[in-house]
Amino acid sequence: MKLGIVGLPNVGKSTLFNSLTKAGAESANYPFCTIDPNVGIVTVPDERLKKLGDLYQSKKVTPAVIEFVDIAGLVKGASKGEGLGNQFLANIRECDAIVHVVRCFENSNIVHVDGSIDPLRDIETINLELLFSDMEILERRYAKTSKAARMDKTLQKEAAMQERLKAHMEAGNMAKTFELLDEDEEAYFKEYGLLTAKPVIYAANVAEDEVAEDGANNAGVAAVREYASKEDSEVFVICAEIEQEIAELDDDEKFMFLEELGMKESGLDKLIKASYSLLGLISYLTSGEDETRAWTITKGTKAPQAAGKIHTDFERGFIKAEVVNYQDLLDCGSTAAAKEKGLVRVEGKEYVVQDGDVILFRFNV
């Protein structure tokens, strides 16, 4: 999974990126200090892995990972070359979702590019820049497709769809609200990699004393939540400065620090939950002496396609899947004991994999 982080300058975007990835992206109190897009890989915390690894005495435990891409702060006019943002928007076109960091805290020492704190105005500013950038991409595609469609009738359907999409976006609408008529249109649309078609997770960045109560008394957070609910987006509340402190601690210290602050989980945990929920993702597990590993798939994935995540040969030569629930396996203490109790099932090609399934695939190519 790949998530792109966007936001205005000085909203806490690079501070959050640093803390999530411990990658040390430069973070300073002036716009455009992030010049190159920073990329960081984060492992997905999953307590099931350690327990399974211990059970099988695995030589290696491999969690699922998320890749974060942090780009320069966008400003009004970025899509027309203002600031440095637009040249980096291409870096997040490949992302599965966008994490939009919104400033919901007051701090006279950290300047806001527009001079005041207004989360909804900031969201609109960024959305407009993403929309302009998308329209530029679409204009170029439409010019090419409509020209080629004169000679090639198979392109006429796509050109007609692009024309509708262009009108939709010129009216100020995000690509995600565009109505696709059939599977062909869905395929064309997916290929464009439009930023305003991507799911969004809003990170409401609050002051240190507001994070434990999840921003309950912060008017900015309430406005962001209301805005997000209308477009089926996710919201999580963070304090980027606290996240940076947490990033420096080991697991035991982190737990104590969170407890002291009255927080149940870190911002990274909240973000991972929000992204899995928004993208409809789950994890199944494989475990043995060599390796215990988590594999991320979309909810509703059938056994052969889940097997294909490990290797294409697994999908091609799929015979069956031996499946046991993670908790049942732990309770029994071994696969043999779980088999004796009839808890290990043999599933075929139509089996829909569930979160926490521990699977052994049988295949032949």
Side-chain angles (χ1 to χ4, degrees):
M1 176 165 46
K2 193 171 177 180
L3 302 177
I5 304 182
V6 303
L8 291 167
N10 298 351
V11 296
K13 191 170 59 65
S14 291
T15 306
L16 176 64
F17 174 82
N18 289 349
S19 57
L20 293 179
T21 63
K22 301 183 190 173
E26 187 183 351
S27 170
N29 180 22
Y30 55 93
F32 317 126
C33 65
T34 314
I35 305 298
D36 295 320
N38 295 285
V39 178
I41 305 288
V42 177
T43 58
V44 176
D46 190 337
E47 60 185 19
R48 299 175 300 191
L49 287 174
K50 187 185 181 310
K51 291 176 182 174
L52 272 182
D54 290 346
L55 183 66
Y56 282 92
Q57 296 181 315
S58 305
K59 292 172 193 157
K60 191 162 80 163
V61 173
T62 309
V65 295
I66 296 178
E67 186 176 317
F68 287 101
V69 182
D70 176 39
I71 64 168
L74 297 171
V75 290
K76 202 174 283 182
S79 57
K80 299 279 180 280
E82 290 290 323
L84 295 163
N86 190 43
Q87 58 188 295
F88 304 123
L89 286 173
N91 294 297
I92 55 171
R93 287 201 181 276
E94 302 305 311
C95 291
D96 299 299
I98 288 173
V99 179
H100 185 160
V101 184
V102 187
R103 179 169 167 178
C104 297
F105 66 89
E106 295 280 355
N107 186 332
S108 56
N109 296 321
I110 301 174
V111 295
H112 188 292
V113 285
D114 288 331
S116 62
I117 307 303
D118 184 342
L120 293 190
R121 177 201 60 209
D122 294 355
I123 288 173
E124 293 292 352
T125 298
I126 296 287
N127 283 350
L128 207 51
E129 294 313 316
L130 299 182
L131 191 61
F132 286 150
S133 181
D134 279 352
M135 282 162 69
E136 200 179 304
I137 296 269
L138 194 62
E139 286 282 355
R140 288 204 296 270
R141 274 192 174 260
Y142 176 65
K144 200 173 168 184
T145 312
S146 54
K147 189 178 176 183
R150 291 176 208 151
M151 307 296 289
D152 183 352
K153 287 187 175 176
T154 60
L155 292 172
Q156 287 177 357
K157 184 177 182 179
E158 185 173 8
M161 186 206 95
Q162 287 175 347
E163 203 169 332
R164 282 181 17 246
L165 179 55
K166 219 157 67 69
H168 177 81
M169 290 166 77
E170 279 164 1
N173 300 304
M174 310 286 267
K176 68 174 83 172
T177 60
F178 180 67
E179 193 181 341
L180 297 162
L181 303 180
D182 56 29
E183 284 180 6
D184 286 344
E185 290 199 350
E186 281 173 25
Y188 305 145
F189 187 78
K190 197 175 179 184
E191 206 184 289
Y192 306 154
L194 298 174
L195 295 167
T196 61
K198 294 187 186 300
V200 178
I201 303 162
Y202 292 101
N205 191 9
V206 300
E208 198 171 314
D209 57 356
E210 292 181 307
V211 73
E213 58 188 29
D214 213 31
N217 298 309
N218 184 308
V221 172
V224 174
R225 282 188 169 130
E226 190 183 341
Y227 184 94
S229 68
K230 288 174 186 166
E231 55 170 47
D232 292 329
S233 294
E234 293 273 341
V235 181
F236 73 105
V237 173
I238 49 142
C239 171
E241 285 190 351
I242 286 178
E243 291 304 315
Q244 204 158 25
E245 288 178 49
I246 290 172
E248 306 303 320
L249 306 173
D250 64 33
D251 286 349
D252 290 342
E253 290 174 324
K254 177 177 143 182
F255 181 73
M256 284 166 64
F257 184 61
L258 288 172
E259 215 169 31
E260 268 175 44
L261 291 169
M263 290 165 65
K264 292 189 179 76
E265 55 192 350
S266 71
L268 176 60
D269 295 335
K270 285 184 188 176
L271 175 52
I272 287 167
K273 276 185 188 167
S275 50
Y276 268 63
S277 162
L278 187 70
L279 296 169
L281 301 174
I282 58 169
S283 294
Y284 76 86
L285 313 160
T286 54
S287 197
E289 203 177 300
D290 286 335
E291 183 182 36
T292 290
R293 184 164 181 167
W295 304 87
T296 303
I297 55 169
T298 309
K299 268 181 203 164
T301 300
K302 290 183 178 176
Q305 288 69 48
K309 272 277 177 188
I310 300 173
H311 198 285
T312 49
D313 284 353
F314 281 35
E315 183 174 355
R316 201 155 47 92
F318 179 89
I319 299 170
K320 62 182 179 181
E322 291 181 15
V323 184
V324 59
N325 173 270
Y326 151 82
Q327 196 57 55
D328 288 343
L329 179 58
L330 274 191
D331 292 346
C332 291
S334 71
T335 308
K339 274 182 176 170
E340 271 177 36
K341 290 191 175 179
L343 295 169
V344 178
R345 310 181 312 278
V346 175
E347 301 286 1
K349 290 182 177 180
E350 292 305 306
Y351 176 68
V352 175
V353 175
Q354 303 298 308
D355 187 55
D357 277 350
V358 182
I359 307 180
L360 174 66
F361 292 107
R362 301 286 184 195
F363 72 104
N364 183 30
V365 284

